Amino acid sequence: LTEMEKRAGRVPEGMSYQLPTEAQWEYACRAGTTTAYSWGDSLSSFYANSDKNIDRATPVSNYPDNSWGFHDMHGNVWEWCADWYGDYPSVSVTNPIGSISGSYRVSRGGAWNIDRSDLRSAKRGLYPPSTRGDYLGLRVSFQSSK
């Protein structure tokens, strides 16, 4: 994607499309909140596609966006992150980078086919990179490639 967009002149020097790290994904999902979900602590099918209430993934933006304008951060599809799955550090860290290797990649956000209570902003999923399914997707970020 980055190379295609560079050829078209739409990517500034030093920038690229990338999967967000797990920390970046959660930061965007929370949008400044400290609650279990970006909309608060209550659960409702009004906010997210989960519990097989529609029985499939839906097009993005069928649900309200968070306060930073991101749609469908909770539910619909698990979103791949750049990090390999590993234990969290035992000390407090800011914007950590996950494990540099492993067998599973981190996914975030939950999906249409799981229980709504698993859509919390902090919930982590993990899948081998070869996994495919209509419950998995991605959200690219645009950031410095340095």
Side-chain angles (χ1 to χ4, degrees), residues 1-127:
L1 177 62
T2 298
E3 292 308 312
M4 179 180 73
E5 292 294 291
K6 277 186 179 179
R7 285 191 299 275
R10 293 188 284 257
V11 175
E13 191 62 37
M15 298 295 287
S16 65
Y17 290 98
Q18 302 172 33
L19 289 176
T21 65
E22 183 177 9
Q24 290 168 335
W25 190 96
E26 186 171 336
Y27 183 77
C29 178
R30 288 185 178 279
T33 66
T34 58
T35 53
Y37 313 94
S38 61
W39 60 79
D41 286 317
S42 63
L43 295 171
S44 165
S45 60
F46 172 79
Y47 294 106
N49 182 13
S50 64
D51 290 327
K52 297 183 180 179
N53 62 335
I54 296 180
D55 212 27
R56 62 176 161 60
T58 59
V60 173
S61 78
N62 280 349
Y63 295 88
D65 57 344
N66 69 16
S67 62
W68 290 355
F70 292 108
H71 285 272
D72 301 332
M73 296 294 289
H74 302 278
N76 210 30
V77 295
W78 285 102
E79 296 180 8
W80 291 109
C81 292
D83 300 338
W84 291 100
Y85 187 86
D87 292 336
Y88 282 139
S90 58
V91 296
S92 179
V93 292
T94 300
N95 197 19
I97 301 298
S99 298
I100 59 171
S101 65
S103 299
Y104 300 94
R105 288 274 186 192
V106 173
S107 59
R108 290 301 205 99
W112 63 269
N113 60 347
I114 68 164
D115 187 82
R116 198 175 318 135
S117 64
D118 285 334
L119 305 185
R120 294 179 311 105
S121 300
K123 178 69 175 180
R124 306 170 85 196
L126 66 151
Y127 292 99

